[in-house]
Amino acid sequence: MKIQDTLSNIEQELDISKNVKIYLCGVTVYDESHIGHARTIIVFDVLRKYLENKGIGIELIQNFTDVDDKIINRAQAENSTAEEISTKYIENYFKDFDGLNVKRATNYPKATEHIDDIIKFIEKLIEKGTAYTSKNGVYFSVSKFPGYGKLSKKKTDELQSGSRIAVDEQKKDPLDFAVWKFSDTEPTWDSPWGKGRPGWHIECSAMSVKYLGENFDIHGGGRDLIFPHHENEIAQSESCTNSQFAKIWMHVGMVTIDGEKMSKSTGNVKSIKHVLENWGPNIIRLFCLSGHYSKPIDYSEELLKENLTKWRQVETCHYELVHANNENSEEITQMIKKLGIDFDNSLDNDFNTHLALSAFFQLVKETNKLAADEKLGKNNADEIKKELKRMQEILGLLIPEITDSEKEEIDELIKNREEYRKEKQFEKADKIRDKLNEMNIELIDHKNRTIWMKKERIKSQ
RNA sequence: GGUACUCUGGCAGAACGGUUAUGCGUGAGCCUGCAAAGCUUAUACAAGGGGGUUCGACUCCCUCGGGUACCUCCA
């Protein structure tokens, strides 16, 4: 599998001979998560599910930044504590992402629970002479790390001249960034240098090394983290360990609205909760995977609606397979195999989920075609089900479950309807159909049989 | 201002030098008691503008222009 690496700017082969170790920058827990967060995390969710499907072990570490100015500000505004705020939004996070059918990461380390590791990390940096203490805190000395700027392709002299940061005269160099900030505002921790809290970038360096070792396979996050966050992580980590940090840097493009980045400051955010209520997890996932992960995607109701149409096709396909009982069977082994290979090849080639989805929908379409032609035999159905299920699991698409008692009720109603139809009592027959519709059961009248499907309830329809 | 990315049919979106996929939408048809769903089929001057390299360019190079992101916290 090849993945485009932001650092080298070429496609790098992912080493799958052993467990694949992934560090994904998570969210700062001071507010609700939005669709932009969802996209990044869904992309990595599909990546890990794909690799797991191949039998490859995955270690996925995703942090929570739970100490940060924004959290503290929010706590003050709400007359609460930072811990209460972060706890609340971590709970909120899991609610959102469980709802999106995202598999839990191996571990979700929090910055506040790794203060010791962070302090040890800083101590090493100071020992090596790449960090220094000043009146306001401990700073990383950018000039001590010759590779600074290699990820974001920025030159340090240009950064300085274009810098709009208010210069802190305590810093030796305006580019230096804090790894420890002195502060008396809670939360604070004692450190060898003074009471305070860690800077933002240091937590990821410390925790990734702790959980994944000095060199791991993939470091991911949104494109907006390239600078300064990831650039600074590289500087800290490589200064500390003297070895290459992540092997592949994988960055996910932004979700935009009307071409503008979705962000809190712009105020154009769509919260996961809101979109989930209106569209459900499957459509959101299809939407997030509809373009190449590295490119931006524009959020719009139209695109969600398009994905709703596609999702209905998947549901139809699913139930055609469930109800398949035709005697005829076509020779379809080759077709299934080919689409399965197309699917995998697409993902192997820089994780092209759009093309993988094409293969998936082709299989859906082929199935529906067979069903329409009354050629979907039971053997065919079993064969297709297996591959379709594999793809669905990787993509994280879920067909709503149905209980046995529901089934019995539906079958009974359909039987009644059939009798009315035979007697040409269509009004009564239609009443039953309406009743089923209310239960979100849709009927499909084939030539000599009627099948049903349970449709996912989509509010925005 | 700097850096990176980007510009394909009504919309979305691929193919990283060799027939401009595919999906949505739209039109027509099949199926149906009627629907719905599904299927069939049709549809589109499609590559920002201008140069160049090449037998051949969406794909490479140059140039002009538009857009976005980052340069401050950001998935």
Side-chain angles (χ1 to χ4, degrees), chain A residues 111-127:
Chain A
T112 55
E113 290 173 358
H114 294 80
I115 300 296
D116 286 349
D117 299 293
I118 290 169
I119 288 173
K120 275 179 204 148
F121 202 100
I122 297 172
E123 278 176 336
K124 269 187 211 163
L125 290 177
I126 292 175
E127 256 170 54

Side-chain angles (χ1 to χ4, degrees), chain A residues 7 29 77 107 114 181 204 219 229 304 377 391 418 424:
Chain A
L7 179 57
V29 277
N107 203 343
H114 294 80
K181 295 174 177 172
C204 287
H219 192 128
H229 186 53
L304 289 167
M391 291 179 180
E418 277 315 300
K424 301 213 188 292

